[in-house]
Structures are given as C-alpha cells and as structure tokens.
Amino acid sequence: MGIVGNLNTQQFQSFNSQGFLVMESFASPEEIEAMRKRMDELLQDFDPTTTASIFSTKNQIQLTSEYFYESAEKISFFFEEKAFDDNRNLKQSKELSINKVGHALHEIDPVFKEFSCSEKVSSLLFSLGYKRPVIIQSMYIFKQPGIGGEVSPHQDNSFLYTEPKTCTGLWLALEDATVVNGCLWAIPESQKNGLVRRFIRGEDGVYFDRPSPSYDQKDFVPIEVKAGSLVVIHGDLIHQSFENQSPNSRHAYSWHVVDTDGCKWAEDNWIKRKVEPEPLYAS
C-alpha cells in the first residue's frame, strides 16, 4: 500500500478539472483527537481579556489590525462577530466564542507541526507538482454552534499571491461537515477562469484591488465530508461557507502552501515575512 498522500492519476486529473479534491480518511481518529485536545489546552491558557480581536470576511478591511498582522508569526485568537453583547462582553464561554486560532500553528505548536509536515502531506504536495513547498499560514477554525460566521466567496490566491501563482489550500475536517453546520461550498472548475482580485497590504492598511464579482449561488455545490477527510483546494477556486445555525460545531484545521522554487512571494501580501521552505518538506 502506498503513502496516503500520493495522488493517483484519476485524483490528479479530478483536482485539475474540478479545482478541488476530497481525500477521505486522510487523518486518523488519533490524529484528530490529538489536534482537538491540543486546541482545548491552548484555549484554556488563553485570557480573553487580553484581546477582543474579531475575524470577519464581511468586514475584513475594517477589522484588520496590528494584532492580525502579527498573528502571521504567532498563535493568536479571533472571536466571532456575534460573540459579544452591546457592552462588549462575551455572551457565552470563550470556548464557544472563538472564530479561529492562527496563523502559525504549523510553525510553533508541536502537535500541529507534526501533522502539517507529515510524510503524507509532503507526499501529497510533491504529487501536486511542488518542488520546494512552504506552509505560509495555518488556522484552527471552530464554526461555532449558532454563531459560526459566514465566509464570503473568495480565492486563496487573492491573499497569498506568488508569481507565478502557486497557493493550494488544505482543509481538514476535524468534525463531520454538512450543509447544516456550515460545510464548504465551491464552484467546480471556477479555477479555470483565473484570479479575479487581490488582497493587498499597503502603507495605509489592507484593501482589495477591485470589487468582488457577484456570484450565482446556484453555481455552488456543497462539499460535505466526514471527520478526517482532507479537501485540497486550488488557489483560484471560488469557495465559501455559510453561517452555522445548527447546535453543532464544525471544527476544521486549514493550512496553505506555496512553492518557493522559481516563484516570487509578493511583497504586498498581507503576510510580511521571509518565505523559506520548511526543512521537513525538503525533497
């Protein structure tokens, strides 16, 4: 039996055609439990009075702060928009109020680093054609019951741009993801239309270089997956997720990879850092 991450010809062709690929049982129950347990520990140690940073794709430009910028090299905590009352107090426990934790789990935390840099992930990336891949960001996404926020239609290359474009998103379901609790939705083959806009960090903050196109919701298909499934996402694929209005959470671990071989990291990306290959990904 081959390494789990090796793509066969059919999987590779499907990814290039559809713009995404679901790999079932990519993570074992033990790996899922280890990451969930570790996040519980990180949350226990987090003091919510130290920050009230909110993450929202609807108000991304207005809510981007120095805390967000610095999270590129830290483990930082971001609340749901609906987590606070009118007096800026949490409506419920911090464990049920966090939107996501990011963006350097893969680099700082040993549990997340071990999985992110595992042989099966490395094998997957090389079978996708990467030469010197590097993880550029990672995040643990909670999609909280009842308040888990919507993620607007977007392309990952907008935020993590290289010349030529090389971003791939890896989205691991740590719980079953359904249309009820806020699974991913995507427009199949939309990556073939190229990148529609970029998210740029300038001297006065961040901005999109052009307005978002309007999308017909009928073009999106749901990507419902079981816990342990990995969704591989092309950097130009249009994808989104809706609010979680169910009583069940939808935990996921997501990380993004770019190539460093023959590629240039755009200096006006929101992440301002030297991009070097992760030694564990060396071929």
Side-chain angles (χ1 to χ4, degrees):
M1 184 176 178
I3 298 172
V4 173
N6 277 335
L7 296 184
N8 59 39
T9 301
Q10 184 178 1
Q11 288 174 313
F12 185 74
Q13 291 176 344
S14 177
F15 174 75
N16 285 328
S17 171
Q18 297 297 299
F20 66 92
L21 176 71
V22 175
M23 303 181 71
E24 297 180 348
S25 302
F26 189 87
S28 69
E30 293 76 19
E31 289 171 322
I32 294 171
E33 176 61 25
M35 284 185 275
R36 295 196 61 178
K37 181 180 178 181
R38 179 58 184 146
M39 184 49 62
D40 285 342
E41 294 170 349
L42 291 171
L43 273 177
Q44 287 174 13
D45 293 338
F46 168 60
D47 180 0
T49 64
T50 60
T51 178
S53 185
I54 294 171
F55 180 79
S56 167
T57 60
K58 288 185 175 180
N59 300 305
Q60 195 153 18
I61 293 174
Q62 293 87 341
L63 293 173
T64 300
S65 64
E66 199 62 33
Y67 183 81
F68 183 84
Y69 294 142
E70 292 175 355
S71 72
E73 299 183 53
K74 296 181 179 180
I75 297 176
S76 301
F77 299 78
F78 301 89
F79 289 101
E80 291 283 0
E81 263 191 300
K82 296 181 179 179
F84 297 94
D85 61 24
D86 293 339
N87 296 318
R88 303 297 296 161
N89 296 315
L90 288 177
K91 296 178 183 178
Q92 50 195 359
S93 69
K94 62 182 179 181
E95 289 81 5
L96 293 174
S97 303
I98 292 290
N99 171 289
K100 71 174 182 177
V101 175
H103 290 94
L105 286 163
H106 67 281
E107 191 172 356
I108 296 174
D109 187 85
V111 173
F112 288 94
K113 181 172 184 175
E114 180 179 6
F115 185 83
S116 306
C117 301
S118 61
E119 183 179 7
K120 58 187 170 185
V121 175
S122 177
S123 175
L124 166 62
L125 294 173
F126 288 121
S127 45
L128 283 172
Y130 280 86
K131 304 299 182 184
R132 288 192 304 165
V134 57
I135 305 173
I136 199 63
Q137 69 174 21
S138 56
M139 51 197 141
Y140 190 108
I141 307 166
F142 293 83
K143 207 71 165 183
Q144 301 285 7
I147 64 169
E150 172 187 348
V151 176
S152 305
H154 66 282
Q155 298 167 296
D156 293 336
N157 272 327
S158 295
F159 303 91
L160 306 167
Y161 186 75
T162 61
E163 295 178 354
K165 297 174 294 181
T166 61
C167 181
T168 297
L170 303 173
W171 192 96
L172 180 72
L174 301 178
E175 296 181 295
D176 293 355
T178 69
V179 293
V180 178
N181 70 355
C183 70
L184 295 174
W185 292 69
I187 302 179
E189 302 188 21
S190 57
Q191 82 283 358
K192 296 177 181 179
N193 298 323
L195 184 63
V196 298
R197 63 176 183 164
R198 285 193 56 212
F199 187 70
I200 291 172
R201 181 174 173 182
E203 293 182 2
D204 299 322
V206 291
Y207 61 93
F208 285 102
D209 62 355
R210 63 194 65 177
S212 174
S214 58
Y215 298 103
D216 189 336
Q217 291 298 324
K218 295 194 298 292
D219 293 335
F220 286 87
V221 299
I223 307 176
E224 294 188 292
V225 294
K226 294 291 186 181
S229 298
L230 181 73
V231 185
V232 187
I233 303 171
H234 190 286
D236 280 346
L237 183 77
I238 304 293
H239 59 290
Q240 65 177 357
S241 65
F242 296 108
E243 286 187 352
N244 179 7
Q245 298 180 343
S246 81
N248 302 310
S249 59
R250 191 228 62 190
H251 289 200
Y253 176 57
S254 175
W255 66 115
H256 293 87
V257 178
V258 297
D259 212 341
T260 59
D261 183 72
C263 305
K264 182 181 179 182
W265 176 254
E267 295 182 359
D268 55 1
N269 282 326
W270 80 267
I271 294 179
K272 300 285 189 182
R273 60 183 303 186
K274 188 175 182 181
V275 177
E276 295 179 336
E278 164 61 52
L280 294 179
Y281 276 172
S283 58

